[in-house]
Amino acid sequence: MPDAPLPDTVATAQSTPDTPQPYAELGMAQDEYARVREILGRRPTSAELAIYSVMWSEHCSYKSSKKHLRQFGEKAPASDALLVGMGENAGVVDVGGGRAVTFKIESHNHPSYVEPHQGAATGVGGIVRDILTMGARPVAVMDALRFGPLDAPDTRRVLPGVVSGISFYGNCLGLPNIGGEIGFGAGYAGNPLVNALCVGVMRHEDIKLAQAPGPGNKVVLFGATTGPDGIGGASVLASATFDDESHAKRPSVQVGDPFMEKLLIECSLELFAADLVVGIQDLGAAGVSCATTELAAGGTGGMRIELDRVPLRDPRLTPEEILMSESQERMMAIVEPAKLDAFLATCRKWNILASVIGEVTDVTPEEAERGGRLVMTWHGETVVDMPPRTASDEGPVYDRPYARPADQDALQADTPDRLERPKTDDDLREQLLRVLAAPGVCDPTWVTQQYDRYVMGNTVLATPDDGGMIRVAEDADTGIALAVDGNGRYTRLDPYAGTQAAYAEAYRNVAATGARPLAVTNCLNFGSPEDPAVMWQFAESTRGLADACQTLGTPVTGGNVSFYNQTGDTAINPTPVIGVLGVIGDVRDRLATALPAGADGARIVLLGRTAEEFGGSVWAEVVHGHLGGLPPKVDLAAEAALGELLAEAAEAGVLAAAHDLSDGGLGVAVAESALRGGVGATLHVTDAFTALFSESGARAVVVVRPESEDAFAALCERHGVPAAEIGTVGGEALTVTHPEGGFSVSLAELRTAYESTLPAVFDAE
Amino acid sequence: MTARVGVVTFPGSLDDRDAARAVRIAGAEPVALWHDDPDLKGVDAVVLPGGFSYGDYLRCGAIARFSPIMGELVPAARSGNLPVLGICNGFQILCESHLLPGALTRNKSLRFINRDVTLRVESTATAWTNRYTDGEEIRIVLKSGEGCYVADTATLDELERTGRVVARYAEPAPNGSRREIAGVTNEHGNVVGLMPHPEHAVEDLTGPSTDGLGFFTSLLAHLADGVPAAAGATG
């Protein structure tokens, strides 16, 4: 083994100002590098360069998106429920009874393409640690996934790998997976989307923040050891400086150990319960760099770290590699010296390695003015001496140019009006079955049965219901409902309206469980921000979401941006995934989607207005391969009225089932409810094509309890929600009649169409 | 006197809280037991819950078998005195401990399976199933990646001949288990291993049924009245 290379110290940096540094290879622009030199008044050491390069990366600094994300705060509706807003690891909302909920969604797109299983697994691990870091017990996960076309060869590699990764990690952690959504499209072939959501529950007084107050307090790193995994750029530093080939071929995708994370969760919750930490941060992207700078910035601004005290999996790691390592399952805590022994004892109980690597220090007023002072040593030599706030809070902010894409007008002008509509009942029937079997619509059981939805014993609703619902505690009546939705086709046609439509769908999904929507998280998946057309989509999308949240009174509590989802110059359809969290006072009031068995003759009522809206619809895609025109109009007032109606109807117990209408329209919704209940339905409509396939928003289909028809009609009247009696429950088939005729499909045939699509691909040898 | 039922938490146990809830709903007092502490705390029975003890590293249940608490539990269970229910990972631990014959291997699909399944209760002559009727069909939760029960033909024949198959899948076993076996018992009928999860079918709100509660109420009947009196036909 070669001798350990000499570290690039602050003293060396001062005496060798002209040493060339590989900032470009680390993804830093020349002016960003110049700014680092200006902040430090000298060239950065390799370790400092490592810290700035990761902290100022798009992923950590949100430098291209920040300008637009500010709207979520500026336009935030007044909400008494919001206890912790954006900027922390995750937002926290009050759900009553002294309990609070924290939730967030985050992308792990690029790693999931490179190595689907580990990429997706560590995506789950990362978001779960974010939730834990807030002081909450994680109680459920969900995910939104996008893949290339179902028949694309690479989809058979990526999808099973992603699903097995989520399954492996989430199941082993003991977190129920309560739902999500899955979609397919050509643009996602080289850019799958893996957006993982986690939700946690805590008492108000248990909220923890990423901060390091109190000079003299200890900085403790606990959890897994630090290895060379997930180091993208550090090897550039190492090889540029030392030409050490042994560092060359290292995995840039992290490897997850859910067992370690499970122990870390239980250990951390015990530490919190015993009040043994004053500040806590998880180690995710940018590892030790991020945790130390953010904790220091959130506290006194001062911290001293001895990097050689970080327990290593590979003793050859250099300081800059330790700083950039993304080894999973690690946390950093700030602990009062008097409580250190108790802290370490709890870690020992759970077999968790814990190491004191430094302490919080005081700063002079001058140092505070500069952004604090973070000092790191390596074998006694100072390798970092920098103001941490300049890395964590004062990164570059770009106002990237944006411009409406050149093809946008032509795309919107190519409306679905030109598409041939079904002429006969046979056409209607055949097209309904094709839409029902479409990859993004069909039964997701092949995927979801790989996830544990029962563990923890509080799952009230899970896939295939419209939203997932969790009882907040075993002895509580209160529940939370969650849904995530995104529609890249709508957003491509009109990013402002398409994003609002995704939000409205998630809102409606939550409402259809009987819960009242309360707060929003988002994961914004786009192409390159350096492309003005993509930036325009992003600007429109964020404006749409901020406006919609303001209108409906649900604040954005946090989220995540994923740029650079593109192959060559071709970006994915912009895919903002919106998560909505709602609250239900009594989980026993929840609404399920299944048609009630043994209730033949019960009335099926369609709520909301149906227009001829086929732009971006599943019908246009499946039957004609068409994407053009405008997405369905978004009517937020109608969504609010429908949501409140459903919540009150649930409380009043007047409904036997409810299902929101979205992808595919009424035909798909009723078919799904029929299959889940194992009972048929008869629908009477006028314009069968529009009735079955239009994707107009603010609609739901409900089954009214026979004894409550008058009460429900009065509720609809009061909320101004149009209610049309369109059919009845019963029989062994879905039957549709209209003035010119009608058709019927047996439940067995519906089931075959609905359930065969994914197994046909993924169970095939 | 309320029965006290221990629930062991190993590192990586996941359904321990659920098992404790089921015990409580059945009317007994759950007692938390810790893998590293050999003290059984004088409990009347023990549940080894589901999960991934020790991360399922090496082999499911293979490391848990050597934990300090098993050193106390195994002889008490083997003697026929201490009722023990091993659910999912707990079943795997019981097999690894040789308290029950056979082994659990990867599902035939090689994928984790979570679905509601119908079981047929095949033996009510155990401490954990005496409140069911022979042949009764119950709907509970299957959720496991390594739930395929295997044993050699002689062992399977012996299990069937002596009435030690506790439950079978009423449909073709989703995981490929030999002879559709979902659960087995020892010669005394005090130790039962079951791959599906009865503790997740104890509340209408959160499970597919409340059919799973019978395992826990059976235990209470057994502890109160010694039902069944001499469990397990031994030939």
Side-chain angles (χ1 to χ4, degrees):
Chain A
M1 212 169 106
D3 290 343
L6 293 172
D8 186 26
T9 64
V10 170
T12 319
Q14 264 157 348
S15 62
T16 57
D18 300 325
T19 300
Q21 294 192 281
Y23 63 86
E25 288 86 337
L26 291 167
M28 248 186 167
Q30 192 179 0
D31 56 336
E32 291 172 347
Y33 176 68
R35 214 182 125 213
V36 171
R37 294 189 68 125
E38 190 190 321
I39 288 169
L40 298 175
R42 56 174 165 79
R43 78 161 173 87
T45 65
S46 293
E48 288 163 343
L49 185 59
I51 293 175
Y52 280 106
S53 74
V54 290
M55 292 305 291
W56 287 6
S57 69
E58 188 65 58
H59 185 79
C60 293
S61 74
Y62 294 86
K63 58 190 168 191
S64 300
S65 56
K66 208 175 239 174
K67 169 177 181 288
H68 301 279
L69 300 178
R70 283 188 187 130
Q71 297 174 82
F72 296 146
E74 290 158 6
K75 295 182 186 173
S79 167
D80 297 339
L82 196 62
L83 300 176
V84 175
M86 285 188 305
E88 279 293 333
N89 284 293
V92 181
V93 290
D94 177 23
V95 295
R99 287 196 174 86
V101 163
T102 177
F103 73 123
K104 190 181 178 188
I105 185 165
E106 205 164 72
S107 65
H108 228 219
N109 302 340
H110 301 105
S112 299
Y113 176 64
V114 176
E115 210 295 89
H117 179 89
Q118 289 296 344
T122 53
V124 175
I127 191 66
V128 167
R129 283 194 303 281
D130 269 350
I131 295 307
L132 174 65
T133 300
M134 296 306 298
R137 172 175 282 281
V139 295
V141 292
M142 289 181 111
D143 42 76
L145 309 175
R146 294 291 183 281
F147 301 102
L150 189 57
D151 53 7
D154 200 40
T155 300
R156 289 179 66 162
R157 171 186 74 97
V158 178
L159 186 148
V162 164
V163 172
S164 73
I166 293 170
S167 160
F168 157 72
Y169 207 100
N171 293 351
C172 200
L173 276 189
L175 292 177
N177 188 313
I178 57 170
E181 46 136 30
I182 183 166
F184 299 84
Y188 306 114
N191 303 280
L193 304 185
V194 175
N195 294 179
L197 179 148
C198 182
V199 59
V201 175
M202 69 189 113
R203 295 234 151 239
H204 287 185
E205 59 271 24
D206 295 337
I207 296 172
K208 296 277 179 289
L209 301 176
Q211 56 186 21
N217 284 343
K218 301 297 178 189
V219 179
V220 186
L221 183 64
F222 63 115
T225 51
T226 298
D229 45 342
I231 298 177
S235 31
V236 175
L237 270 170
S239 57
T241 317
F242 308 115
D243 195 25
D244 178 353
E245 296 228 336
S246 69
H247 293 263
K249 301 276 182 195
R250 276 175 175 165
S252 58
V253 175
Q254 316 86 309
V255 175
D257 178 355
F259 173 58
M260 174 60 83
E261 178 126 323
K262 167 69 179 168
L263 299 184
L264 204 51
I265 291 173
E266 299 301 334
C267 177
S268 298
L269 290 172
E270 269 193 35
L271 293 169
F272 298 160
D275 197 23
L276 298 178
V277 303
V278 293
I280 183 95
Q281 177 65 294
D282 66 303
L283 275 69
V288 174
S289 296
C290 183
T292 51
T293 54
E294 288 192 352
L295 281 168
T300 63
M303 188 177 283
R304 172 175 281 276
I305 298 289
E306 292 176 58
L307 278 175
D308 20 0
R309 291 224 206 164
V310 173
L312 302 180
R313 210 176 293 163
D314 176 349
R316 294 168 301 176
L317 291 194
T318 62
E320 47 273 26
E321 288 178 310
I322 293 169
L323 286 165
M324 292 178 95
S325 164
E326 294 188 358
S327 289
Q328 298 290 293
E329 292 95 22
R330 297 180 298 163
M331 304 276 282
M332 190 174 283
I334 306 300
V335 184
E336 292 170 11
K339 294 180 174 174
L340 186 62
D341 285 347
F343 182 101
L344 296 175
T346 300
C347 290
R348 270 196 304 278
K349 173 187 167 188
W350 288 100
N351 272 324
I352 294 281
L353 185 64
S355 315
V356 176
I357 64 164
E359 65 179 38
V360 178
T361 55
D362 229 338
V363 290
T364 65
E366 295 74 39
E367 286 166 351
E369 180 68 22
R370 290 183 64 215
R373 185 172 184 193
L374 172 65
V375 176
M376 297 189 185
T377 58
W378 174 252
H379 299 315
E381 306 261 16
T382 301
V383 293
V384 170
D385 189 348
M386 60 180 278
R389 283 196 189 102
T390 60
S392 64
D393 300 345
E394 293 159 21
V397 175
Y398 293 134
D399 186 1
R400 302 239 187 230
Y402 52 90
R404 189 178 167 91
D407 67 354
Q408 198 72 26
D409 289 339
L411 189 67
Q412 293 185 345
D414 176 23
T415 73
D417 292 348
R418 69 175 173 83
L419 304 178
E420 188 182 359
R421 298 184 176 188
K423 289 196 178 68
T424 65
D425 281 325
D426 283 349
D427 290 348
L428 276 171
R429 188 180 189 283
E430 183 256 348
Q431 292 182 10
L432 175 61
L433 287 170
R434 276 169 69 190
V435 166
L436 191 62
V441 174
C442 70
D443 180 17
T445 296
W446 189 91
V447 170
T448 55
Q449 88 169 5
Q450 297 186 48
Y451 306 149
D452 184 345
R453 66 178 180 278
Y454 284 110
V455 67
M456 298 188 109
N458 287 317
T459 305
V460 178
L461 295 173
T463 302
D465 282 304
D466 283 332
M469 186 181 287
I470 292 282
R471 183 170 59 183
V472 295
E474 206 174 306
D475 55 358
D477 293 330
T478 308
I480 51 171
L482 276 158
V484 290
D485 284 293
N487 188 321
R489 288 165 53 81
Y490 288 178
T491 320
R492 175 73 176 90
L493 296 178
D494 181 342
Y496 181 89
T499 304
Q500 292 198 334
Y503 162 75
E505 188 186 340
Y507 184 97
R508 198 156 65 235
N509 273 323
V510 164
T513 67
R516 283 189 173 82
L518 192 65
V520 170
T521 183
N522 60 78
C523 192
L524 307 173
N525 306 279
F526 287 78
S528 166
E530 294 158 41
D531 176 348
V534 169
M535 213 49 220
W536 176 81
Q537 293 171 333
F538 186 77
E540 285 294 289
S541 174
T542 46
R543 190 170 67 84
L545 180 60
D547 287 351
C549 287
Q550 186 175 33
T551 304
L552 291 191
T554 54
V556 173
T557 62
N560 169 245
V561 177
S562 174
F563 280 130
Y564 299 103
N565 295 286
Q566 62 181 55
T567 304
D569 289 336
T570 310
I572 58 165
N573 280 340
T575 313
V577 169
I578 314 300
V580 170
L581 175 118
V583 173
I584 186 166
D586 187 338
V587 285
R588 284 166 295 198
D589 293 338
R590 87 284 188 203
L591 299 171
T593 55
L595 293 187
D600 284 11
R603 317 228 168 196
I604 300 174
V605 174
L606 173 64
L607 302 173
R609 281 189 185 80
T610 305
E612 293 195 32
E613 295 185 289
F614 302 100
S617 68
V618 177
W619 174 81
E621 181 187 28
V622 168
V623 177
H624 295 285
H626 176 266
L627 176 62
L630 288 173
K633 277 210 171 52
V634 176
D635 181 343
L636 295 172
E639 297 287 358
L642 176 67
E644 188 53 31
L645 166 66
L646 289 167
E648 287 183 24
E651 280 164 0
V654 297
L655 298 180
H659 193 357
D660 93 299
L661 265 54
S662 58
D663 294 355
L666 176 72
V668 166
V670 175
E672 287 176 341
S673 290
L675 290 173
R676 281 166 205 162
V679 59
T682 300
L683 302 180
H684 308 289
V685 296
T686 45
D687 170 2
F689 169 69
T690 301
L692 291 175
F693 298 111
S694 165
E695 295 187 5
S696 295
R699 295 187 303 159
V701 63
V702 296
V703 177
V704 186
R705 292 191 191 282
E707 68 277 14
S708 305
E709 286 174 9
D710 291 346
F712 183 66
L715 271 179
C716 294
E717 173 89 27
R718 185 145 59 78
H719 289 285
V721 174
E725 197 182 304
I726 56 161
T728 51
V729 176
E732 299 278 310
L734 174 59
T735 302
V736 178
T737 72
H738 56 90
E740 286 85 45
F743 67 92
S744 190
V745 190
S746 72
L747 286 182
E749 191 176 354
L750 276 181
R751 192 175 296 284
T752 302
Y754 185 61
E755 293 180 355
S756 301
T757 308
L758 297 184
V761 174
F762 300 110
D763 285 341
E765 284 308 311
Chain B
M1 198 187 76
T2 311
R4 298 172 69 245
V5 180
V7 177
V8 180
T9 298
F10 298 96
S13 290
L14 304 178
D15 303 282
D16 43 351
R17 271 178 286 268
D18 306 281
R21 179 185 309 116
V23 165
R24 195 157 48 239
I25 290 174
E29 179 198 343
V31 178
L33 300 178
W34 181 240
H35 72 107
D36 208 20
D37 180 356
D39 186 0
L40 286 173
K41 299 184 180 170
V43 294
D44 302 306
V46 174
V47 178
L48 301 180
F52 294 72
S53 59
Y54 298 92
D56 273 357
Y57 292 133
L58 185 58
R59 206 169 55 234
C60 304
I63 302 176
R65 173 199 165 188
F66 294 103
S67 62
I69 197 149
M70 293 302 287
E72 293 297 304
L73 184 144
V74 170
R78 185 164 285 141
S79 70
N81 293 324
L82 182 71
V84 178
L85 174 65
I87 303 167
C88 193
N89 190 228
F91 187 10
Q92 293 161 342
I93 296 168
L94 291 175
C95 290
E96 288 288 339
S97 306
H98 304 298
L99 285 169
L100 294 175
L104 284 311
T105 61
R106 294 285 300 275
N107 294 343
K108 69 177 174 194
S109 65
L110 303 182
R111 290 190 289 270
F112 190 95
I113 296 172
N114 177 3
R115 70 158 78 145
D116 303 341
V117 291
T118 302
L119 299 188
R120 198 169 52 246
V121 178
E122 298 267 312
S123 169
T124 55
T126 81
W128 299 91
T129 54
N130 56 70
R131 295 295 286 264
Y132 293 106
T133 53
D134 279 323
E136 183 173 344
E137 293 203 340
I138 60 173
R139 188 91 176 144
I140 65 175
V141 174
L142 177 71
K143 55 181 190 85
S144 44
E146 310 203 11
C148 177
Y149 183 75
V150 297
D152 58 50
T153 305
T155 303
L156 294 171
D157 289 345
E158 171 76 5
L159 284 171
E160 290 185 338
R161 195 176 56 77
T162 55
R164 288 169 53 196
V165 173
V166 172
R168 289 186 215 261
Y169 300 98
E171 52 212 277
N175 44 32
S177 290
R178 300 289 182 273
R179 303 189 194 181
E180 323 310 326
I181 291 175
V184 299
T185 186
N186 66 347
E187 59 193 7
H188 301 295
N190 66 314
V191 177
V192 168
L194 192 72
M195 186 39 60
H197 291 257
E199 82 283 18
H200 284 292
V202 296
E203 283 186 289
D204 277 325
L205 195 62
T206 57
S209 73
T210 56
D211 292 351
L213 203 54
F215 282 84
F216 304 93
T217 54
S218 292
L219 172 73
L220 300 193
H222 168 78
L223 293 174
D225 310 324
V227 180
T234 49

